[in-house]
Short mmCIF file of all heavy atoms in Angstrom, two decimals:
data_model
loop_
_atom_site.label_atom_id
_atom_site.label_comp_id
_atom_site.label_asym_id
_atom_site.label_seq_id
_atom_site.Cartn_x
_atom_site.Cartn_y
_atom_site.Cartn_z
N MET A 1 37.45 6.70 25.81
CA MET A 1 36.58 7.22 24.78
C MET A 1 35.80 8.42 25.29
O MET A 1 35.80 9.46 24.68
CB MET A 1 35.63 6.11 24.34
CG MET A 1 34.72 6.48 23.22
SD MET A 1 35.57 6.68 21.68
CE MET A 1 36.40 5.13 21.56
N LYS A 2 35.14 8.28 26.42
CA LYS A 2 34.26 9.32 26.94
C LYS A 2 34.94 10.67 27.15
O LYS A 2 34.37 11.69 26.79
CB LYS A 2 33.64 8.82 28.24
CG LYS A 2 32.17 8.92 28.29
CD LYS A 2 31.66 8.26 29.56
CE LYS A 2 30.27 8.73 29.87
NZ LYS A 2 29.74 8.14 31.07
N PRO A 3 36.15 10.74 27.71
CA PRO A 3 36.77 12.05 27.95
C PRO A 3 37.05 12.85 26.68
O PRO A 3 37.17 14.05 26.74
CB PRO A 3 38.07 11.71 28.67
CG PRO A 3 37.86 10.37 29.25
CD PRO A 3 36.92 9.67 28.30
N THR A 4 37.15 12.21 25.52
CA THR A 4 37.45 12.94 24.29
C THR A 4 36.20 13.45 23.57
O THR A 4 36.32 14.17 22.59
CB THR A 4 38.25 12.06 23.31
OG1 THR A 4 37.46 10.94 22.95
CG2 THR A 4 39.55 11.59 23.93
N LEU A 5 35.03 13.10 24.05
CA LEU A 5 33.78 13.56 23.43
C LEU A 5 33.49 15.01 23.81
O LEU A 5 33.81 15.44 24.93
CB LEU A 5 32.61 12.68 23.87
CG LEU A 5 32.68 11.21 23.49
CD1 LEU A 5 31.54 10.44 24.15
CD2 LEU A 5 32.64 11.02 21.99
N LEU A 6 32.86 15.76 22.91
CA LEU A 6 32.47 17.13 23.23
C LEU A 6 31.39 17.17 24.31
O LEU A 6 31.37 18.08 25.13
CB LEU A 6 31.96 17.84 21.97
CG LEU A 6 33.02 18.15 20.92
CD1 LEU A 6 32.37 18.71 19.67
CD2 LEU A 6 34.04 19.12 21.47
N PHE A 7 30.50 16.18 24.30
CA PHE A 7 29.43 16.08 25.28
C PHE A 7 29.49 14.70 25.94
O PHE A 7 28.71 13.81 25.61
CB PHE A 7 28.06 16.29 24.62
CG PHE A 7 27.94 17.62 23.94
CD1 PHE A 7 28.01 17.73 22.56
CD2 PHE A 7 27.75 18.78 24.68
CE1 PHE A 7 27.91 18.95 21.92
CE2 PHE A 7 27.65 20.01 24.05
CZ PHE A 7 27.73 20.10 22.67
N PRO A 8 30.42 14.48 26.87
CA PRO A 8 30.60 13.16 27.47
C PRO A 8 29.33 12.59 28.11
O PRO A 8 29.12 11.39 28.09
CB PRO A 8 31.69 13.37 28.52
CG PRO A 8 32.38 14.62 28.13
CD PRO A 8 31.38 15.44 27.39
N ALA A 9 28.48 13.43 28.64
CA ALA A 9 27.25 12.95 29.28
C ALA A 9 26.28 12.33 28.27
O ALA A 9 25.37 11.59 28.65
CB ALA A 9 26.57 14.09 30.04
N SER A 10 26.48 12.61 26.97
CA SER A 10 25.58 12.07 25.95
C SER A 10 25.98 10.67 25.50
O SER A 10 25.26 10.03 24.75
CB SER A 10 25.56 12.99 24.73
OG SER A 10 26.79 12.91 24.01
N PHE A 11 27.13 10.16 25.97
CA PHE A 11 27.63 8.84 25.57
C PHE A 11 26.64 7.75 25.98
O PHE A 11 26.16 7.72 27.11
CB PHE A 11 28.98 8.57 26.24
CG PHE A 11 29.50 7.19 25.99
CD1 PHE A 11 30.26 6.92 24.87
CD2 PHE A 11 29.24 6.16 26.87
CE1 PHE A 11 30.75 5.64 24.63
CE2 PHE A 11 29.74 4.88 26.66
CZ PHE A 11 30.49 4.62 25.53
N LYS A 12 26.32 6.87 25.02
CA LYS A 12 25.47 5.71 25.30
C LYS A 12 26.10 4.49 24.63
O LYS A 12 26.25 4.44 23.41
CB LYS A 12 24.06 5.91 24.77
CG LYS A 12 23.17 4.72 25.07
CD LYS A 12 21.76 4.90 24.56
CE LYS A 12 20.99 3.64 24.93
NZ LYS A 12 20.04 3.25 23.97
N HIS A 13 26.49 3.51 25.44
CA HIS A 13 27.04 2.27 24.92
C HIS A 13 25.92 1.48 24.26
O HIS A 13 24.83 1.36 24.80
CB HIS A 13 27.64 1.46 26.08
CG HIS A 13 28.16 0.13 25.65
ND1 HIS A 13 27.43 -1.03 25.82
CD2 HIS A 13 29.31 -0.23 25.05
CE1 HIS A 13 28.13 -2.04 25.34
NE2 HIS A 13 29.28 -1.59 24.87
N VAL A 14 26.17 0.95 23.06
CA VAL A 14 25.17 0.16 22.33
C VAL A 14 25.52 -1.32 22.38
O VAL A 14 24.73 -2.14 22.82
CB VAL A 14 25.03 0.64 20.86
CG1 VAL A 14 24.07 -0.24 20.09
CG2 VAL A 14 24.59 2.10 20.82
N GLU A 15 26.74 -1.67 21.94
CA GLU A 15 27.13 -3.07 21.89
C GLU A 15 28.65 -3.20 21.79
O GLU A 15 29.30 -2.39 21.14
CB GLU A 15 26.50 -3.74 20.66
CG GLU A 15 26.83 -5.19 20.49
CD GLU A 15 26.21 -5.80 19.23
OE1 GLU A 15 25.89 -5.06 18.28
OE2 GLU A 15 26.07 -7.02 19.23
N THR A 16 29.19 -4.24 22.42
CA THR A 16 30.60 -4.58 22.29
C THR A 16 30.70 -5.99 21.73
O THR A 16 29.96 -6.87 22.17
CB THR A 16 31.33 -4.52 23.65
OG1 THR A 16 31.26 -3.17 24.13
CG2 THR A 16 32.78 -4.93 23.53
N ARG A 17 31.59 -6.18 20.75
CA ARG A 17 31.78 -7.50 20.13
C ARG A 17 33.24 -7.89 20.24
O ARG A 17 34.13 -7.06 20.05
CB ARG A 17 31.36 -7.48 18.66
CG ARG A 17 29.85 -7.33 18.47
CD ARG A 17 29.47 -7.21 17.00
NE ARG A 17 30.06 -6.06 16.32
CZ ARG A 17 29.66 -4.80 16.45
NH1 ARG A 17 28.67 -4.50 17.26
NH2 ARG A 17 30.24 -3.83 15.78
N VAL A 18 33.47 -9.16 20.55
CA VAL A 18 34.82 -9.71 20.63
C VAL A 18 34.85 -10.97 19.77
O VAL A 18 34.08 -11.90 20.01
CB VAL A 18 35.20 -10.06 22.09
CG1 VAL A 18 36.61 -10.62 22.15
CG2 VAL A 18 35.07 -8.84 22.99
N GLU A 19 35.71 -10.97 18.77
CA GLU A 19 35.81 -12.13 17.88
C GLU A 19 36.76 -13.16 18.47
O GLU A 19 37.59 -12.83 19.32
CB GLU A 19 36.28 -11.68 16.50
CG GLU A 19 35.28 -10.79 15.80
CD GLU A 19 35.72 -10.36 14.42
OE1 GLU A 19 36.75 -10.86 13.92
OE2 GLU A 19 35.04 -9.51 13.85
N PRO A 20 36.68 -14.40 18.01
CA PRO A 20 37.59 -15.43 18.50
C PRO A 20 39.06 -15.09 18.18
O PRO A 20 39.35 -14.37 17.23
CB PRO A 20 37.17 -16.69 17.73
CG PRO A 20 35.79 -16.41 17.25
CD PRO A 20 35.71 -14.92 17.06
N THR A 21 39.95 -15.62 18.98
CA THR A 21 41.39 -15.41 18.78
C THR A 21 41.83 -16.13 17.51
O THR A 21 41.46 -17.28 17.28
CB THR A 21 42.17 -15.96 19.98
OG1 THR A 21 41.68 -15.33 21.17
CG2 THR A 21 43.65 -15.69 19.85
N ASP A 22 42.63 -15.43 16.68
CA ASP A 22 43.13 -16.06 15.46
C ASP A 22 44.41 -16.85 15.75
O ASP A 22 44.87 -16.92 16.90
CB ASP A 22 43.34 -15.04 14.34
CG ASP A 22 44.43 -14.02 14.62
OD1 ASP A 22 45.26 -14.25 15.53
OD2 ASP A 22 44.47 -13.00 13.92
N ALA A 23 45.00 -17.43 14.73
CA ALA A 23 46.18 -18.29 14.89
C ALA A 23 47.39 -17.55 15.46
O ALA A 23 48.26 -18.16 16.09
CB ALA A 23 46.55 -18.91 13.55
N SER A 24 47.43 -16.23 15.29
CA SER A 24 48.57 -15.47 15.80
C SER A 24 48.34 -14.92 17.21
O SER A 24 49.14 -14.15 17.72
CB SER A 24 48.92 -14.33 14.84
OG SER A 24 47.84 -13.41 14.77
N GLY A 25 47.20 -15.29 17.85
CA GLY A 25 46.92 -14.86 19.21
C GLY A 25 46.33 -13.47 19.33
O GLY A 25 46.41 -12.82 20.36
N VAL A 26 45.68 -13.01 18.25
CA VAL A 26 45.07 -11.68 18.22
C VAL A 26 43.57 -11.83 17.96
O VAL A 26 43.14 -12.67 17.19
CB VAL A 26 45.71 -10.81 17.11
CG1 VAL A 26 45.03 -9.47 16.99
CG2 VAL A 26 47.20 -10.63 17.39
N ARG A 27 42.78 -11.01 18.63
CA ARG A 27 41.34 -11.01 18.36
C ARG A 27 40.87 -9.58 18.09
O ARG A 27 41.38 -8.63 18.68
CB ARG A 27 40.55 -11.64 19.49
CG ARG A 27 40.65 -10.95 20.81
CD ARG A 27 39.74 -11.52 21.87
NE ARG A 27 40.09 -12.88 22.20
CZ ARG A 27 39.24 -13.75 22.69
NH1 ARG A 27 37.99 -13.39 22.93
NH2 ARG A 27 39.60 -14.97 22.96
N ARG A 28 39.91 -9.45 17.19
CA ARG A 28 39.33 -8.14 16.86
C ARG A 28 38.27 -7.82 17.89
O ARG A 28 37.48 -8.68 18.27
CB ARG A 28 38.72 -8.16 15.47
CG ARG A 28 38.27 -6.79 14.96
CD ARG A 28 37.63 -6.94 13.59
NE ARG A 28 37.48 -5.76 12.81
CZ ARG A 28 36.72 -4.70 13.09
NH1 ARG A 28 36.09 -4.64 14.21
NH2 ARG A 28 36.63 -3.68 12.27
N ILE A 29 38.25 -6.56 18.35
CA ILE A 29 37.22 -6.10 19.27
C ILE A 29 36.59 -4.84 18.67
O ILE A 29 37.25 -4.07 17.95
CB ILE A 29 37.79 -5.80 20.66
CG1 ILE A 29 38.94 -4.79 20.60
CG2 ILE A 29 38.24 -7.09 21.34
CD1 ILE A 29 39.46 -4.36 21.94
N SER A 30 35.31 -4.62 18.93
CA SER A 30 34.67 -3.40 18.46
C SER A 30 33.54 -3.01 19.41
O SER A 30 32.97 -3.85 20.09
CB SER A 30 34.14 -3.55 17.03
OG SER A 30 33.13 -4.52 16.98
N MET A 31 33.27 -1.71 19.45
CA MET A 31 32.21 -1.19 20.31
C MET A 31 31.40 -0.16 19.53
O MET A 31 31.96 0.77 18.95
CB MET A 31 32.80 -0.52 21.55
CG MET A 31 31.73 0.09 22.44
SD MET A 31 32.35 1.11 23.79
CE MET A 31 33.12 2.46 22.91
N ASP A 32 30.09 -0.34 19.51
CA ASP A 32 29.17 0.65 18.93
C ASP A 32 28.69 1.55 20.06
O ASP A 32 28.40 1.08 21.16
CB ASP A 32 27.97 -0.04 18.29
CG ASP A 32 28.35 -0.87 17.08
OD1 ASP A 32 29.44 -0.66 16.51
OD2 ASP A 32 27.55 -1.75 16.70
N TYR A 33 28.62 2.85 19.78
CA TYR A 33 28.12 3.80 20.77
C TYR A 33 27.46 4.97 20.07
O TYR A 33 27.60 5.16 18.86
CB TYR A 33 29.26 4.28 21.68
CG TYR A 33 30.31 5.10 20.98
CD1 TYR A 33 30.25 6.49 20.98
CD2 TYR A 33 31.37 4.49 20.32
CE1 TYR A 33 31.22 7.26 20.34
CE2 TYR A 33 32.35 5.24 19.69
CZ TYR A 33 32.26 6.62 19.70
OH TYR A 33 33.21 7.37 19.05
N MET A 34 26.70 5.75 20.83
CA MET A 34 26.07 6.96 20.32
C MET A 34 26.51 8.12 21.20
O MET A 34 26.74 7.95 22.40
CB MET A 34 24.56 6.83 20.34
CG MET A 34 24.04 5.77 19.39
SD MET A 34 22.23 5.75 19.21
CE MET A 34 21.68 5.52 20.87
N ALA A 35 26.64 9.30 20.60
CA ALA A 35 27.00 10.52 21.33
C ALA A 35 26.66 11.73 20.49
O ALA A 35 26.54 11.63 19.27
CB ALA A 35 28.49 10.52 21.67
N LYS A 36 26.50 12.87 21.15
CA LYS A 36 26.19 14.11 20.44
C LYS A 36 27.46 14.69 19.83
O LYS A 36 28.53 14.66 20.42
CB LYS A 36 25.58 15.14 21.37
CG LYS A 36 24.15 14.83 21.72
CD LYS A 36 23.51 15.97 22.46
CE LYS A 36 22.06 15.61 22.73
NZ LYS A 36 21.37 16.67 23.44
N THR A 37 27.30 15.27 18.64
CA THR A 37 28.40 15.95 17.96
C THR A 37 28.41 17.42 18.38
O THR A 37 27.54 17.88 19.13
CB THR A 37 28.23 15.88 16.43
OG1 THR A 37 27.03 16.60 16.08
CG2 THR A 37 28.14 14.44 15.95
N GLY A 38 29.36 18.18 17.86
CA GLY A 38 29.44 19.60 18.15
C GLY A 38 28.21 20.38 17.72
O GLY A 38 27.89 21.41 18.28
N SER A 39 27.49 19.87 16.70
CA SER A 39 26.28 20.55 16.24
C SER A 39 25.03 20.07 16.98
O SER A 39 23.92 20.45 16.64
CB SER A 39 26.10 20.33 14.73
OG SER A 39 26.03 18.95 14.44
N GLY A 40 25.21 19.20 17.98
CA GLY A 40 24.09 18.74 18.79
C GLY A 40 23.33 17.55 18.24
O GLY A 40 22.32 17.15 18.79
N ILE A 41 23.81 16.97 17.15
CA ILE A 41 23.15 15.81 16.55
C ILE A 41 23.75 14.55 17.17
O ILE A 41 24.97 14.43 17.30
CB ILE A 41 23.35 15.78 15.03
CG1 ILE A 41 22.70 17.01 14.39
CG2 ILE A 41 22.80 14.50 14.42
CD1 ILE A 41 23.03 17.18 12.93
N THR A 42 22.91 13.59 17.56
CA THR A 42 23.39 12.33 18.10
C THR A 42 23.69 11.39 16.95
O THR A 42 22.82 11.11 16.13
CB THR A 42 22.36 11.70 19.05
OG1 THR A 42 22.12 12.61 20.12
CG2 THR A 42 22.86 10.39 19.61
N THR A 43 24.94 10.93 16.86
CA THR A 43 25.34 10.01 15.80
C THR A 43 25.82 8.70 16.41
O THR A 43 26.24 8.65 17.56
CB THR A 43 26.48 10.59 14.94
OG1 THR A 43 27.61 10.81 15.76
CG2 THR A 43 26.06 11.86 14.26
N GLY A 44 25.76 7.66 15.60
CA GLY A 44 26.30 6.37 16.01
C GLY A 44 27.72 6.25 15.51
O GLY A 44 28.06 6.73 14.43
N SER A 45 28.58 5.65 16.30
CA SER A 45 29.98 5.45 15.92
C SER A 45 30.44 4.06 16.33
O SER A 45 29.81 3.41 17.15
CB SER A 45 30.88 6.50 16.57
OG SER A 45 30.55 7.79 16.12
N ASN A 46 31.56 3.64 15.76
CA ASN A 46 32.14 2.34 16.07
C ASN A 46 33.63 2.53 16.32
O ASN A 46 34.34 3.05 15.47
CB ASN A 46 31.92 1.36 14.91
CG ASN A 46 32.61 0.03 15.15
OD1 ASN A 46 33.73 -0.18 14.71
ND2 ASN A 46 31.93 -0.86 15.83
N ALA A 47 34.09 2.13 17.51
CA ALA A 47 35.52 2.12 17.82
C ALA A 47 35.97 0.67 17.69
O ALA A 47 35.28 -0.24 18.16
CB ALA A 47 35.76 2.63 19.23
N TYR A 48 37.09 0.46 17.04
CA TYR A 48 37.53 -0.92 16.82
C TYR A 48 39.04 -1.03 16.94
O TYR A 48 39.77 -0.04 16.84
CB TYR A 48 37.08 -1.42 15.45
CG TYR A 48 37.61 -0.60 14.30
CD1 TYR A 48 38.79 -0.96 13.67
CD2 TYR A 48 36.96 0.54 13.86
CE1 TYR A 48 39.30 -0.20 12.62
CE2 TYR A 48 37.45 1.30 12.83
CZ TYR A 48 38.63 0.92 12.21
OH TYR A 48 39.13 1.68 11.19
N GLY A 49 39.48 -2.23 17.21
CA GLY A 49 40.90 -2.47 17.35
C GLY A 49 41.16 -3.96 17.51
O GLY A 49 40.29 -4.78 17.25
N TRP A 50 42.36 -4.28 17.94
CA TRP A 50 42.75 -5.67 18.11
C TRP A 50 43.35 -5.85 19.50
O TRP A 50 44.07 -4.99 19.99
CB TRP A 50 43.77 -6.08 17.05
CG TRP A 50 43.12 -6.25 15.72
CD1 TRP A 50 42.65 -7.41 15.18
CD2 TRP A 50 42.83 -5.24 14.77
NE1 TRP A 50 42.08 -7.18 13.96
CE2 TRP A 50 42.20 -5.84 13.67
CE3 TRP A 50 43.04 -3.87 14.73
CZ2 TRP A 50 41.77 -5.14 12.56
CZ3 TRP A 50 42.63 -3.17 13.61
CH2 TRP A 50 42.00 -3.81 12.55
N LEU A 51 43.05 -6.97 20.11
CA LEU A 51 43.56 -7.32 21.43
C LEU A 51 44.58 -8.43 21.27
O LEU A 51 44.27 -9.48 20.68
CB LEU A 51 42.41 -7.79 22.33
CG LEU A 51 42.80 -8.36 23.69
CD1 LEU A 51 43.35 -7.25 24.58
CD2 LEU A 51 41.60 -9.02 24.34
N LYS A 52 45.79 -8.20 21.77
CA LYS A 52 46.83 -9.23 21.74
C LYS A 52 46.71 -10.05 23.02
O LYS A 52 46.83 -9.50 24.11
CB LYS A 52 48.21 -8.59 21.64
CG LYS A 52 48.44 -7.85 20.34
CD LYS A 52 49.73 -7.07 20.39
CE LYS A 52 50.80 -7.87 19.71
NZ LYS A 52 52.08 -7.15 19.66
N GLU A 53 46.43 -11.33 22.87
CA GLU A 53 46.27 -12.20 24.03
C GLU A 53 47.53 -12.24 24.88
O GLU A 53 47.48 -12.33 26.09
CB GLU A 53 45.92 -13.62 23.57
CG GLU A 53 44.56 -13.72 22.89
CD GLU A 53 43.41 -13.66 23.87
OE1 GLU A 53 43.49 -14.30 24.93
OE2 GLU A 53 42.43 -12.97 23.58
N ASP A 54 48.69 -12.15 24.27
CA ASP A 54 49.97 -12.17 24.97
C ASP A 54 50.21 -10.80 25.60
O ASP A 54 50.64 -9.87 24.93
CB ASP A 54 51.09 -12.53 23.99
CG ASP A 54 52.44 -12.59 24.65
OD1 ASP A 54 52.50 -12.68 25.89
OD2 ASP A 54 53.45 -12.57 23.92
N GLY A 55 49.88 -10.64 26.87
CA GLY A 55 50.08 -9.37 27.54
C GLY A 55 48.84 -8.49 27.57
O GLY A 55 48.84 -7.44 28.18
N CYS A 56 47.78 -8.88 26.88
CA CYS A 56 46.51 -8.14 26.86
C CYS A 56 46.63 -6.69 26.40
O CYS A 56 45.91 -5.82 26.87
CB CYS A 56 45.82 -8.20 28.21
SG CYS A 56 45.26 -9.85 28.65
N SER A 57 47.53 -6.39 25.49
CA SER A 57 47.64 -5.03 24.98
C SER A 57 46.61 -4.81 23.86
O SER A 57 46.30 -5.72 23.11
CB SER A 57 49.05 -4.73 24.47
OG SER A 57 49.40 -5.61 23.44
N VAL A 58 46.06 -3.61 23.81
CA VAL A 58 45.05 -3.26 22.81
C VAL A 58 45.66 -2.28 21.82
O VAL A 58 46.32 -1.32 22.21
CB VAL A 58 43.81 -2.63 23.46
CG1 VAL A 58 42.82 -2.17 22.41
CG2 VAL A 58 43.15 -3.61 24.41
N ILE A 59 45.43 -2.53 20.54
CA ILE A 59 45.87 -1.63 19.49
C ILE A 59 44.61 -1.00 18.92
O ILE A 59 43.79 -1.68 18.30
CB ILE A 59 46.61 -2.39 18.37
CG1 ILE A 59 47.79 -3.16 18.96
CG2 ILE A 59 47.06 -1.44 17.28
CD1 ILE A 59 48.35 -4.20 18.02
N LEU A 60 44.39 0.29 19.15
CA LEU A 60 43.21 0.97 18.61
C LEU A 60 43.43 1.22 17.13
O LEU A 60 44.43 1.82 16.73
CB LEU A 60 42.96 2.30 19.31
CG LEU A 60 41.77 3.10 18.79
CD1 LEU A 60 40.47 2.35 19.05
CD2 LEU A 60 41.72 4.47 19.43
N ALA A 61 42.51 0.75 16.31
CA ALA A 61 42.65 0.90 14.87
C ALA A 61 41.93 2.15 14.38
O ALA A 61 42.36 2.79 13.45
CB ALA A 61 42.12 -0.33 14.15
N GLY A 62 40.81 2.49 14.98
CA GLY A 62 40.11 3.67 14.51
C GLY A 62 38.72 3.82 15.06
O GLY A 62 38.22 2.98 15.80
N ILE A 63 38.11 4.91 14.69
CA ILE A 63 36.73 5.20 15.05
C ILE A 63 36.02 5.66 13.79
O ILE A 63 36.51 6.54 13.09
CB ILE A 63 36.65 6.30 16.13
CG1 ILE A 63 37.37 5.83 17.40
CG2 ILE A 63 35.21 6.68 16.41
CD1 ILE A 63 37.51 6.89 18.46
N GLU A 64 34.89 5.03 13.50
CA GLU A 64 34.12 5.39 12.30
C GLU A 64 32.72 5.84 12.71
O GLU A 64 32.10 5.21 13.55
CB GLU A 64 33.96 4.17 11.40
CG GLU A 64 35.26 3.61 10.88
CD GLU A 64 35.05 2.35 10.05
OE1 GLU A 64 34.14 1.56 10.38
OE2 GLU A 64 35.79 2.17 9.09
N ALA A 65 32.25 6.91 12.10
CA ALA A 65 30.87 7.34 12.31
C ALA A 65 29.97 6.52 11.40
O ALA A 65 30.35 6.18 10.28
CB ALA A 65 30.72 8.83 11.99
N PHE A 66 28.81 6.16 11.88
CA PHE A 66 27.83 5.47 11.07
C PHE A 66 27.34 6.40 9.97
O PHE A 66 27.54 7.61 10.03
CB PHE A 66 26.65 4.99 11.89
CG PHE A 66 26.98 3.92 12.90
CD1 PHE A 66 26.12 3.72 13.96
CD2 PHE A 66 28.11 3.13 12.80
CE1 PHE A 66 26.39 2.73 14.91
CE2 PHE A 66 28.39 2.17 13.72
CZ PHE A 66 27.53 1.95 14.79
N LYS A 67 26.68 5.87 8.99
CA LYS A 67 26.20 6.66 7.85
C LYS A 67 24.85 7.34 8.13
O LYS A 67 24.22 7.85 7.24
CB LYS A 67 26.05 5.76 6.63
CG LYS A 67 27.34 5.08 6.22
CD LYS A 67 28.35 6.07 5.72
CE LYS A 67 29.59 5.36 5.26
NZ LYS A 67 30.72 6.21 5.12
N PHE A 68 24.39 7.33 9.36
CA PHE A 68 23.11 7.94 9.68
C PHE A 68 23.23 8.71 10.99
O PHE A 68 24.22 8.59 11.69
CB PHE A 68 22.01 6.88 9.80
CG PHE A 68 22.34 5.79 10.79
CD1 PHE A 68 21.98 5.91 12.11
CD2 PHE A 68 23.00 4.64 10.38
CE1 PHE A 68 22.30 4.92 13.03
CE2 PHE A 68 23.31 3.63 11.27
CZ PHE A 68 22.95 3.78 12.62
N ASP A 69 22.25 9.53 11.29
CA ASP A 69 22.24 10.22 12.56
C ASP A 69 20.86 10.13 13.21
O ASP A 69 19.89 9.75 12.56
CB ASP A 69 22.69 11.68 12.43
CG ASP A 69 21.83 12.48 11.48
OD1 ASP A 69 20.60 12.47 11.65
OD2 ASP A 69 22.38 13.11 10.58
N PHE A 70 20.81 10.43 14.49
CA PHE A 70 19.57 10.38 15.27
C PHE A 70 19.22 11.79 15.66
O PHE A 70 19.89 12.39 16.47
CB PHE A 70 19.79 9.52 16.52
CG PHE A 70 20.33 8.16 16.22
CD1 PHE A 70 21.70 7.92 16.18
CD2 PHE A 70 19.47 7.11 15.95
CE1 PHE A 70 22.20 6.67 15.91
CE2 PHE A 70 19.96 5.85 15.68
CZ PHE A 70 21.32 5.63 15.65
N ARG A 71 18.20 12.36 15.05
CA ARG A 71 17.82 13.74 15.35
C ARG A 71 16.74 13.80 16.40
O ARG A 71 15.96 12.96 16.56
CB ARG A 71 17.34 14.43 14.08
CG ARG A 71 18.46 14.55 13.09
CD ARG A 71 18.01 15.27 11.83
NE ARG A 71 19.01 15.11 10.83
CZ ARG A 71 19.95 16.01 10.57
NH1 ARG A 71 20.01 17.12 11.24
NH2 ARG A 71 20.83 15.80 9.63
#
């Protein structure tokens, strides 16, 4: 995540959540973080995906910006 940010030094981890494994052996994982955008505004974002217990492979589903910013 950090290497793709415009300002990697601004990255701040907020929280990581891991849900219980479902019947098919997959669990949802998500991470909230804050970082500066190209315009210098610090925004909150959430990266989320699924972890396959069989082999521990991660499927990244996406990254969403929160609906607010920190000026």
Side-chain angles (χ1 to χ4, degrees):
M1 183 70 54
K2 232 174 161 180
T4 62
L5 298 173
L6 290 174
F7 301 104
S10 72
F11 175 87
K12 181 180 180 216
H13 176 261
V14 176
E15 180 182 22
T16 298
R17 291 176 300 284
V18 181
E19 294 181 8
T21 304
D22 65 17
S24 64
V26 176
R27 63 174 64 205
R28 188 182 196 296
I29 56 175
S30 64
M31 178 189 65
D32 294 341
Y33 66 95
M34 294 188 303
K36 285 189 178 180
T37 64
S39 59
I41 297 171
T42 300
T43 61
S45 297
N46 175 266
Y48 60 93
W50 286 265
L51 173 69
K52 294 171 98 177
E53 294 285 317
D54 181 17
C56 293
S57 59
V58 175
I59 304 165
L60 178 65
I63 298 172
E64 298 177 325
F66 294 160
K67 301 293 183 196
F68 55 89
D69 59 53
F70 307 91
R71 295 182 192 263

